Every structure is written in C-alpha cells, then in structure tokens.
Amino acid sequence: MHEIAEIEQALRRAAPHQLVGVVEDALREHRGVRRVELRLADYGLRSLQLVGHASGADDSAVPIHDSPQGRAFGAQEPYVVRDPGALRLHLPVTVRGDRLGVLTADLPPEADLRPLLPALAQVCEALGHEILVAERDTDLYVLARRAARLTLAAEMQWQLLPGRSCARPEFALAAHLEPAYAIFGDNYDWSVSDGRLTLTVTNGMGEGIEAALLTNLAINALRNARRAGLPLADQAALADQAVYAHYRGAAFVSVLLLCFDLATGEVEAVDAGSPRLWRQRGQAVEPVGFEAQLPLGMFEETVYVPERFAVRPGDRLLFGSDGVYDAVSPAGESYGDRALARALRGTRLLPPTLVPQAVLRELAVHHGGSPLEDDALVVCLDWHGTASTVAV
C-alpha cells in the first residue's frame, strides 16, 4: 500500500504530459516491469490509440474488436499474453465506470501475476483519474483519442459531453454518437448528486456549426438552471427562454429531461421534443410515452409540465434520437417500428457500455449499409436500485 501511495503522489506531482513515464519508472523499480504503454479509445470506439503518437498513425492503433488490448477493454478485466521470453499484461483504465483505455505492461516471463494484479489495478485507477485532471492542461490525451480529424462541430460536441459511461451502485449508463467524427446536433448530459441522477438527451435542429452552437447554448442553459437548484420543469423553462432570446423561434432544441430518485426509482420527466425512450423489463420491450411538449426555444415563455413514472431493479432503458428511430430500411421501414425492439432483446446480456454501439451497428445494417442522413445518438441505462428497492 505504501508503494501505491508513492505512485499516486508521483502522478499528482508530474507534468501533465508525463504521466505514462511516471508509471513506467515506478513499475520498473518496484515490480520489475520492462516497458509500459498506454492506449486510449478513439471517439468512434473502434480502435485503441497509442498515447504520444500522431493521430491516425496506422502503425500505432490496434482495433478494439480484434486485439488483446481490446479484450481487456471490452471485458474490463486483465488479459495476459504469454510469448517465449515475454509476458504481456493488458489492464483496463477506467474511472467511475467511464472506460478510457488500456495500460500494457511487459514483464519477465517468470513473473507471478497473483500478487501483482491488485496493485496494478490500483495504479490504473490512479492513472485514469490523473488523465482526466491533466486534460485541462495538455492536449496529449485528447489527441490520442482521435483516429481521424474531427469536424469543428464534432470538436465542440465532444468537449461538451460528461463522458461515455458512468457506473454507480444504483445504475450503470453508457452512450454513443455516430458519426463520431462529424456529429453536430445530438448530445447527452448527466449529473449525479446526493440522491438524484439527472439525465438529458438532446437534439438541436440544423447541421454543422449552427447545430453545434444551438446545442451548446441549450446544454449550458440547462446546466445553469440545474446548478441553481431549480426543479426539472423550471430547468426546461429557463433553457427555453435562453434559446428563444437568441434565435427568436427560428431554431429550437428537442430534449428529454429526466430526474431519477436513486432511493426509490421514481422518475420525473419533461418531454420537450423528439428524443424517445424504450424500456426493457424481462423480455418485454415497449416505448415509454409522454405528453409531447414544445421543443426549447420554439415560442416565448413556454410552460413545461413534468410527468412521472417508476423504474424497477433489472429495468433497461434505451434513449434514441430521431436519427435512430426515424432511419429507414431500403424497404421503407423505420428502425423504431420493430427493429429497435429486436436489437434491444438481442443485446440483453451485454453490459450497458456495449449496448449503444451494438444498437448502432444493427441500425447501419437496417439502413442498408449506406451513410445515415442524420447523426444518431443512443443512451442505455441499467437500473439496479438500492438494497431496499431490490428487497421489495
């Protein structure tokens, strides 16, 4: 434990761009590690990019779905590769359920992994936390996440997001956007506070920079209202006024706002536009309908009325933007009619971190493999509940 504390202190003292070197030096000294490398997941969740290499460098990236590093990342467990004269250990780097990447350590072939693994897991957790802090002061880790150049609209949207996944005892959630390098209007946001999870799924009208600017205004207005302690309906009303004041009804934002009571599973919701919700309870998949209210910014001083429903332990909720449920097959069938429910049933055994991508892959097949006309957002939330709600 003293050794781990020393590594954590060294990481906190290190320059933001030197975190991997600090870990490598410490593990070489204390654990006999020969070499360390860090890979971060790219924005599209298709490859793991080597930190320190130029973005898009073909010789440095490894695929998530067909590599030893990808096995560790997907399963969130250590993965060992033994070769003659070498032992390579791949470890997930994850912070509060948000999967960042994989740390790889080369060890002597005779190394005993049993006493090593708990300590290395702590090192990975400490490294992940310091990466998130260091990103305020260096572009190194942000650059490592891109396998191609982002559009300016996508750059703005990714900087606005809270993360890609989050896990707490009461719930686990994950989200994904496509096309990852060219998104413009779709977005999501969450905040966990004492006893509450607030989740918003957003779709700003338009394309490119204009859609990104519109969504940025709406998200920050919602955050401002939430941080002022306003109830959910007033959060929507304040954001509505902010958008209308700037665009005077010429542009608007569709948003689904939800506030979960972590102790009871009671949910307050405001449906202000197009994002939709499906619930899987056992093998039954059904849409959760709300009273449709006006999108944010369409008219001045719109009054929003909250609705309520409840989630039970074991429920899976899936949120989709119109780019998901409105996408049509070559035969003209919308994805939200039947195919989305089939995709949800088919991914029931997957953890929520893998569901959004799986649904979007099914969407691409449904669409005939051609590019989507709109950006597409999927958010998956698994509700575990508290010990008291599980007992009920």
Side-chain angles (χ1 to χ4, degrees), residues 147-172:
R149 183 173 179 175
L150 292 170
T151 65
L152 179 54
E155 184 90 49
M156 294 167 64
Q157 294 292 62
W158 280 108
Q159 291 298 314
L160 195 62
L161 296 173
R164 279 188 288 220
S165 52
C166 178
R168 303 298 301 158
E170 301 88 353
F171 68 88

Side-chain angles (χ1 to χ4, degrees), residues 161-209:
L161 296 173
R164 279 188 288 220
S165 52
C166 178
R168 303 298 301 158
E170 301 88 353
F171 68 88
L173 69 87
H176 192 59
L177 292 148
E178 287 290 350
Y181 290 84
I183 53 173
F184 36 86
D186 287 0
N187 205 285
Y188 57 87
D189 193 27
W190 63 67
S191 174
V192 185
S193 59
D194 184 21
R196 293 191 305 277
L197 163 67
T198 303
L199 174 65
T200 61
V201 183
T202 310
N203 182 9
M205 67 173 289
E207 298 181 356
I209 294 296

